[in-house]
Amino acid sequence: MSNQAQKNIEELKQKILDHDYRYYVLTDPIISDQEYDMLIKELENLEAKYPDLISPDSPTQRVGKDLNKNFSPVQHTIPMLSLANTYSEEELLEFDRRVRAGLPDSEKIEYVVELKIDGASVNIRYVNGVLLNAATRGDGTVGEEITANLKTIKSVPLKLKNLTSSSYKLRDIEVRGEIFMKLEDFLKLNKEREIAGEKLFANPRNSAAGTLKMQDPRVVAKRKLSMFSYTLISKEDKLISQFENLNILKDLGFVVNPETTLCFDIKEALQICHKLEAKRESLPYEIDGAVIKVNSIKQQGILGNIAKSPRWAVAFKFKARQAISVLRDISWQVGRIGTVTPVAELEPVFLSGSTISRATLHNFDEIKRKDIRIGDKVIIEKGGDVIPKIVGVVLAERDKKSKPVRPPSKCPVCNSGLFKPEDEVAWYCENSECPAQIRGRLEHFSARGAMDIEGLGEALINLFVEKGFLHSYDEIYNLKNHRNDLINIERLGEKSIDNLLKAIENSKKQPFAKILFALGIRYVGIGAAKKLAISFNSIDDLISASEEEILEIHEIGESISSSLKNFFSNKSNIEIIDRLKSAGLNFNAEKKILKRGVLFDKTFVLTGTLSGFTREEVGDKIASLGGKVTSTVSNKTDYVLVGDKPGSKIEKAKGLGVKIINEKEFIEMLNG
Ligand code: IVH
């Protein structure tokens, strides 16, 4: 078993989890769906090569995502799965081959092709024809109760029609469908938000998902959401086919998407997919592909599911939408850790619901590889409709006199030198006092998910840096001493400054993990920060920990541990932390308070799958009672907690004489 492979897998898993958090909890993704799929594929490939290293908490092994804490959890009676994606005709034919291989030879297979609506899925339960409750998909097993919000959507019937005339028993049913926002309503909403100075939604899907999770149903009602229903589940009766189910749903009063076709084989299904793709631009809502489902419910049952998706259905993803524009210039942006990133300045062009005037070029190597030049006609794509990128150049129309782009030799913001680590493609500004880095660090520090200081966004930070009030993030807590000066800055009234100062004071209550994340240490995303906070009592323990001790933590790899060491070896970072401590920030893990917890000072290693907890939950539980979880069994380990299908750790524990406990014994331990 390769140690390096294990580290790679662990870091990749952590990266994916951090993107999941941004996407599902913050609804603020920073990579496209396609880039995300590529990370998952990379992990799947590595895990296929080293099957021993597949852990039950790997993103490939679960449907799951994090949940927003403000809604009560609802257990789905039948898991809400996701769909595997196909991107080509070949992959779709391969799906058909797998379906046929999974069914008896004589079976006739029909497919239903539907649109893949780009929204958020929900599950609604109706008892005796009345809407009882509704939940988001959540992690696929447990969703969030959003009944009040869902009831505001006009296309969701509160009471069903024609219930008694149906030949099926439908007194206890669940209906699933996609909540979405029409393009027109999305554009209108974003316009309003722009005028109000609020953050814009990246796409209609995010705006639908974000709206469903709002605390006030009255605001939800004002935002026009719609639903297309596509799944019917009866608790009392056997249903026959997906196509018939869609007709039953229509009879019951649901809106079913009209672009739905029953096909007699995969060839016909593929033709329909192409037809739907051609229709894409004329639809008033966003779709990102088609869904191909085996029509017979009985066959669906025989085929069953693999880990997180059904074997009887697949998504056929459409090509990302493209537009052509002119590259007016390339600007170089400097990020919070000094990365110098080229940004394409484009002639504005409309694509997938928004006007694009900038696109990322990732790094200089990419410009070189694609030979992108200023003045070129360039092809722009919005992959997962998040960040537009340039995918190519219309070479035939290139100006003969154009010259290849040269990278900057100095930092475009502070004029300091640049350096490029050997194993990276990115160039970095060497001056950590570069104003762009300072602004970036401050923005990250106060952002949602970190210190969550409402009102302290990009614009104010720029202003405060420019006026000399802010330089490092500890100075945020000094702003209250400059209240009068701040009020006197043009445009900023007394009320808004007082609200800001209140939000700053409030942020002192943020837990250790979020502060650790807010420090902006390279590679330390929120997931890693949580793990570090659970494993160490305080920032002081973390600062004095050796790299080996840090590496012992489950899913913390070398790039994180050496980045932490690097950060803490810088004297000015330690001084900033000291000043944040004096300001009253909490650099102690909660477990310190629970020092006398029943698991105080006990070290656990987990192996196998537990039935009642996820790994994260076990980790949190152990930490809250004073213990910690590490990834390798050693003579420092007190207990190895064993679930279903344990790995080789159990043998190692036996060899070292470490106590092995099962889930039941663990629960007894928790209860003291
Ligand atoms: S069927 C197991 N049908 O796509 C079957 N899903 O990746 C999954 N979606 O979570 C649901 N349009 O949010 C189904 N016509 C459609 C759909 C659809 C959009 C979404 C849904 C689901 C995701 C699966």
Side-chain angles (χ1 to χ4, degrees):
M1 200 194 301
S2 146
N3 225 348
Q4 190 52 43
Q6 180 157 15
K7 288 293 163 205
N8 289 348
I9 286 182
E10 273 161 14
E11 293 206 28
L12 199 50
K13 281 198 305 208
Q14 193 53 55
K15 206 164 163 185
I16 292 169
L17 289 175
D18 283 338
H19 283 305
D20 281 347
Y21 178 76
R22 292 203 68 102
Y23 188 100
Y24 287 93
V25 182
L26 304 180
T27 38
D28 188 17
I30 49 166
I31 60 169
S32 71
D33 287 3
Q34 214 144 341
E35 283 165 315
Y36 180 86
D37 282 348
M38 273 162 68
L39 289 178
I40 294 277
K41 249 225 161 97
E42 198 181 329
L43 181 58
E44 279 170 353
N45 288 344
L46 272 173
E47 289 180 340
K49 223 163 129 193
Y50 302 98
D52 280 345
L53 298 181
I54 302 178
S55 62
D57 63 348
S58 166
T60 59
Q61 304 299 302
R62 64 168 190 163
V63 197
K65 312 290 168 197
D66 259 347
L67 299 173
N68 185 311
K69 297 279 179 292
N70 297 327
F71 293 90
S72 34
V74 181
Q75 176 100 26
H76 296 306
T77 46
I78 298 168
M80 290 182 80
L81 304 172
S82 58
L83 292 164
N85 288 330
T86 60
Y87 291 95
S88 66
E89 183 172 331
E90 193 31 58
E91 284 179 8
L92 192 59
L93 296 177
E94 183 49 43
F95 160 73
D96 175 58
R97 277 193 281 277
R98 284 196 305 271
V99 166
R100 280 185 286 128
L103 293 171
D105 280 348
S106 56
E107 295 269 317
K108 194 169 139 261
I109 301 157
E110 291 172 340
Y111 290 109
V112 176
V113 180
E114 300 169 16
L115 287 179
K116 188 165 189 298
I117 314 294
D118 205 4
S121 55
V122 291
N123 184 73
I124 318 172
R125 181 150 179 228
Y126 288 85
V127 174
N128 292 324
V130 179
L131 191 157
L132 191 68
N133 58 38
T136 62
R137 177 170 171 273
D139 69 359
T141 315
V142 178
E144 292 163 305
E145 209 250 42
I146 48 150
T147 315
N149 282 351
L150 200 93
K151 280 183 168 173
T152 68
I153 301 168
K154 298 253 166 50
S155 46
V156 174
L158 299 178
K159 207 164 180 259
L160 302 179
K161 294 195 280 190
N162 305 322
L163 195 63
T164 44
S165 58
S166 170
S167 50
Y168 294 102
K169 290 188 211 134
L170 301 172
R171 283 168 317 179
D172 191 354
I173 60 167
E174 286 184 12
V175 174
R176 293 175 179 179
E178 201 77 357
I179 303 293
F180 65 98
M181 194 177 276
K182 288 201 187 103
L183 265 170
E184 193 191 338
D185 297 323
F186 160 72
L187 292 174
K188 233 191 263 164
L189 175 66
N190 256 357
K191 243 283 112 70
E192 285 165 18
R193 289 174 77 87
E194 194 180 342
I195 292 166
E198 289 167 329
K199 194 162 182 241
L200 302 190
F201 285 116
N203 52 48
R205 179 190 57 227
N206 284 2
S207 65
T211 303
L212 273 185
K213 290 191 177 191
M214 291 186 67
Q215 296 296 326
D216 186 352
R218 287 167 304 184
V219 185
V220 180
K222 277 198 211 128
R223 303 223 185 132
K224 291 185 190 142
L225 293 175
S226 319
M227 177 169 93
F228 283 128
S229 303
Y230 47 67
T231 301
L232 172 64
I233 301 165
S234 167
K235 305 280 181 72
E236 317 160 291
D237 214 343
K238 272 206 164 73
L239 300 168
I240 304 295
S241 78
Q242 168 66 5
F243 201 65
E244 188 184 47
N245 286 354
L246 293 176
N247 283 322
I248 300 173
L249 283 170
K250 262 189 270 183
D251 277 350
L252 295 176
F254 292 93
V255 183
V256 170
N257 190 280
E259 303 291 344
T260 301
T261 319
L262 179 62
C263 302
F264 294 97
D265 58 20
I266 199 73
K267 284 259 153 65
E268 193 188 347
L270 185 66
Q271 270 172 12
I272 299 292
C273 287
H274 290 316
K275 197 188 95 194
L276 292 176
E277 183 159 11
K279 265 199 167 171
R280 188 181 192 185
E281 300 307 320
S282 61
L283 295 171
Y285 45 82
E286 280 281 27
I287 54 169
D288 62 341
V291 184
I292 297 101
K293 301 176 182 173
V294 168
N295 188 33
S296 150
I297 307 291
K298 190 170 141 227
Q299 289 177 349
Q300 290 182 4
I302 297 171
L303 289 162
N305 310 320
I306 23 164
K308 58 173 186 170
S309 39
R311 285 200 189 85
W312 48 265
V314 80
F316 180 79
K317 296 280 262 192
F318 293 157
K319 280 186 203 70
R321 288 224 193 79
Q322 295 189 334
I324 290 188
S325 177
V326 175
L327 179 64
R328 283 178 172 167
D329 200 1
I330 291 177
S331 57
W332 299 86
Q333 236 172 32
V334 182
R336 69 182 159 89
I337 51 166
T339 332
V340 180
T341 313
V343 177
E345 305 288 347
L346 302 159
E347 216 141 82
V349 59
F350 192 78
L351 178 64
S352 298
S354 62
T355 301
I356 296 168
S357 49
R358 308 184 92 196
T360 174
L361 285 163
H362 299 292
N363 51 57
F364 183 69
D365 275 19
E366 171 140 329
I367 299 180
K368 215 160 68 179
R369 194 162 36 84
K370 293 183 180 154
D371 188 20
I372 298 170
R373 302 182 185 188
I374 292 167
D376 274 351
K377 269 204 170 154
V378 288
I379 303 160
I380 304 151
E381 217 170 66
K382 252 184 167 182
D385 298 340
V386 184
I387 305 164
K389 55 182 173 197
I390 292 185
V391 291
V393 173
V394 185
L395 277 176
E397 295 193 34
R398 167 171 285 170
D399 182 348
K400 297 271 173 316
K401 284 182 264 154
S402 74
K403 292 205 177 70
V405 174
R406 290 237 297 268
S409 54
K410 297 245 176 286
C411 170
V413 177
C414 72
N415 250 334
S416 304
L418 300 179
F419 70 96
K420 179 178 162 310
E422 225 171 71
D423 52 347
E424 291 192 35
V425 281
W427 285 82
Y428 292 86
C429 161
E430 64 186 13
N431 170 21
S432 64
E433 296 303 299
C434 168
Q437 291 195 44
I438 292 173
R439 284 194 296 264
R441 285 196 291 267
L442 288 164
E443 266 175 49
H444 174 81
F445 185 83
S446 79
R448 211 146 42 109
M451 298 310 283
D452 202 2
I453 306 177
E454 206 178 322
L456 193 58
E458 189 181 342
L460 263 198
I461 286 174
N462 284 348
L463 192 63
F464 289 170
V465 170
E466 189 193 308
K467 303 265 178 201
F469 289 108
L470 282 186
H471 176 263
S472 59
Y473 29 61
D474 54 298
E475 288 168 357
I476 291 174
Y477 297 96
N478 269 344
L479 286 176
K480 61 178 181 215
N481 301 331
H482 303 287
R483 182 176 174 272
N484 287 342
D485 301 328
L486 298 178
I487 290 170
N488 286 333
I489 300 180
E490 79 264 46
R491 291 184 286 118
L492 303 178
E494 194 165 341
K495 193 158 172 243
S496 65
I497 290 300
D498 283 340
N499 283 341
L500 175 67
L501 294 176
K502 214 186 277 165
I504 291 173
E505 277 310 295
N506 245 337
S507 74
K508 292 182 181 171
K509 294 189 206 126
Q510 289 295 78
F512 178 36
K514 291 207 172 174
I515 301 176
L516 196 51
F517 170 57
L519 293 179
I521 306 168
R522 196 164 186 209
Y523 302 124
V524 180
I526 184 69
K530 275 187 188 166
K531 291 194 176 94
L532 292 164
I534 283 171
S535 300
F536 293 92
N537 279 328
S538 63
I539 191 99
D540 297 330
D541 284 2
L542 179 59
I543 293 172
S544 58
S546 67
E547 259 195 86
E548 290 68 38
E549 280 171 306
I550 296 174
L551 278 169
E552 268 212 357
I553 303 169
H554 187 60
E555 281 180 355
I556 299 291
E558 249 160 49
S559 42
I560 295 177
S561 63
S562 69
S563 167
L564 282 164
K565 282 280 111 184
N566 196 18
F567 185 86
F568 294 135
S569 66
N570 184 332
K571 210 170 127 237
S572 71
N573 286 335
I574 300 289
E575 284 165 5
I576 289 177
I577 290 171
D578 284 341
R579 289 198 293 271
L580 288 173
K581 277 184 194 165
S582 319
L585 269 64
N586 168 29
F587 279 98
N588 292 316
E590 264 146 39
K591 72 169 179 187
K592 193 151 197 182
I593 307 157
L594 293 162
K595 216 169 178 168
R596 300 276 151 243
V598 286
L599 304 184
F600 178 61
D601 230 11
K602 296 283 180 267
T603 302
F604 286 75
V605 172
L606 315 179
T607 177
T609 316
L610 301 176
S611 58
F613 306 87
T614 63
R615 274 187 177 240
E616 196 124 33
E617 284 163 355
V618 174
D620 287 352
K621 194 86 219 160
I622 292 174
S624 73
L625 294 170
K628 70 174 175 182
V629 179
T630 63
S631 58
T632 41
V633 181
S634 71
N635 43 24
K636 284 194 217 145
T637 313
D638 293 293
Y639 299 99
V640 171
L641 172 55
V642 180
D644 193 27
K645 296 206 192 107
S648 57
K649 287 174 188 168
I650 199 167
E651 298 309 322
K652 194 158 177 207
K654 279 181 192 158
L656 290 170
V658 174
K659 193 161 169 44
I660 297 170
I661 56 166
N662 62 25
E663 194 169 345
K664 195 165 155 261
E665 289 164 314
F666 175 64
I667 294 169
E668 282 165 10
M669 216 169 177
L670 297 183
N671 296 330

